[in-house]
Amino acid sequence: QVRLVESGGGLVQPGGSLRLSCAASGRTFSYAMGWFRQAPGKEREFVAGISWSGRSTYYADSVKGRFTISRDNAVKMVFLQMNSLKPEDTAVYFCAAHTQLILTPDYDYWGQGTQVTVTS
């Protein structure tokens, strides 16, 4: 079992930055990790993913060059640095864990989500 808790969401102006954090608790952290988001009335979509080792990362085209996913296995945390934020980035952001890195929302474990709102 893995428990995931996100933090770092908030209200930011277009062009601003936020850093999301995801803290994992459990016996092991040997999971690939992903960030997903869900806007009102829309399906949950993949944002970024990182392998257990951190050597492999993937990004949705909509966030490439603006968002960076990273992890610190020593403290069981995953981060999403979000720069140059746009209003269309507004959504609830979820952290998720899975046995392997996949780009679909078929992850084994999910956090509760953190709201990100980009507005002027």
Side-chain angles (χ1 to χ4, degrees):
Q1 279 282 359
V2 176
R3 181 169 178 258
L4 304 172
V5 179
E6 304 95 335
S7 61
L11 181 67
V12 63
Q13 292 186 339
S17 297
L18 281 175
R19 188 191 195 211
L20 304 184
S21 299
C22 173
S25 59
R27 193 162 52 92
T28 179
F29 192 48
S30 302
Y31 294 95
M33 301 296 295
W35 285 98
F36 289 77
R37 66 186 181 187
Q38 188 165 19
K42 295 189 176 181
E43 293 187 353
R44 192 168 297 189
E45 64 173 357
F46 173 81
V47 175
I50 188 167
S51 62
W52 172 81
S53 66
R55 293 194 197 101
S56 297
T57 57
Y58 292 92
Y59 296 93
D61 288 342
S62 58
V63 306
K64 272 181 189 173
R66 300 188 298 123
F67 290 11
T68 303
I69 188 171
S70 61
R71 67 189 295 160
D72 186 341
N73 288 343
V75 294
K76 297 183 181 179
M77 292 195 71
V78 180
F79 307 97
L80 186 67
Q81 178 65 44
M82 307 187 296
N83 299 328
S84 302
L85 282 161
K86 305 175 181 180
E88 51 263 44
D89 294 318
T90 295
V92 177
Y93 283 70
F94 298 89
C95 171
H98 194 60
T99 52
Q100 56 184 317
L101 182 54
I102 57 175
L103 308 188
T104 58
D106 298 308
Y107 279 57
D108 295 319
Y109 304 102
W110 291 87
Q112 295 284 76
T114 185
Q115 177 70 47
V116 171
T117 302
V118 185
T119 181
S120 53

